[in-house]
Amino acid sequence: MIIGKGVLTGPHVFIADHNHEYRNPDVYIYKQGCRAGKDDRVLIDDGTWLGTNVVVVGNVHIGKQCVIGANSVVTKDIPDYCVAAGSPAKVLKRYNFESKEWERFR
C-alpha cells in the first residue's frame, strides 16, 4: 500500500490490497489462505480525501486530489481530480483545467 502526501481520511476507513482465497467450498475459508498478486497494491495519490466509512479493496489506484464520498466502496481505479461515490464507487465529476470548472459525468 502506498499513500501519498497530504491524504486525509474520515473515521472508519478500511483499505486492503488482498483478500481471502475461496476456491474450495469443502474447506473452511480461513484454511485457504490469502489471495494477493505479486504486483497487487493500493495506491492513493497526493491530496486525496477519503470520506467516513470508505472501503478501498483490491489492486486499485486513486488519483491525486480526489474526493471519495462517505460510505463508498472503491474497487476500480479513479483518475486524478475526480469526485467519486457509491458502492461500487463511480466518478461523478472531474475537474477540467481548460474551462476551470467541474464537469459532471453521466
Side-chain angles (χ1 to χ4, degrees), residues 15 17 21 47 66 78 97:
I15 302 169
D17 58 0
E21 190 62 68
C66 290
I78 305 292
F97 283 92

Side-chain angles (χ1 to χ4, degrees), residues 6-10 44 47-52 54 65-69:
V7 171
L8 295 174
T9 66
I44 303 171
T48 287
W49 173 40
L50 306 178
T52 301
V54 165
Q65 296 287 76
C66 290
V67 173
I68 308 300

Side-chain angles (χ1 to χ4, degrees), residues 32-105:
Q32 295 188 43
C34 290
R35 179 179 61 229
K38 179 179 82 167
D39 297 321
D40 285 355
R41 68 173 190 208
V42 171
L43 171 58
I44 303 171
D45 271 335
D46 297 347
T48 287
W49 173 40
L50 306 178
T52 301
N53 295 322
V54 165
V55 174
V56 180
V57 292
N59 185 20
V60 297
H61 176 192
I62 300 174
K64 60 185 169 184
Q65 296 287 76
C66 290
V67 173
I68 308 300
N71 301 308
S72 296
V73 179
V74 180
T75 60
K76 295 184 179 175
D77 293 350
I78 305 292
D80 294 343
Y81 306 102
C82 286
V83 174
S87 181
K90 294 181 182 170
V91 174
L92 303 176
K93 55 186 176 177
R94 186 173 191 177
Y95 191 75
N96 181 324
F97 283 92
E98 290 180 17
S99 67
K100 298 191 184 310
E101 293 183 354
W102 288 95
E103 296 177 344
R104 290 197 175 274
F105 277 62

Side-chain angles (χ1 to χ4, degrees), residues 19-38 40:
N19 205 344
H20 291 285
E21 190 62 68
Y22 187 43
R23 293 182 186 261
N24 186 345
D26 295 324
V27 176
Y28 293 133
I29 294 172
Y30 79 92
K31 290 186 175 187
Q32 295 188 43
C34 290
R35 179 179 61 229
K38 179 179 82 167
D40 285 355

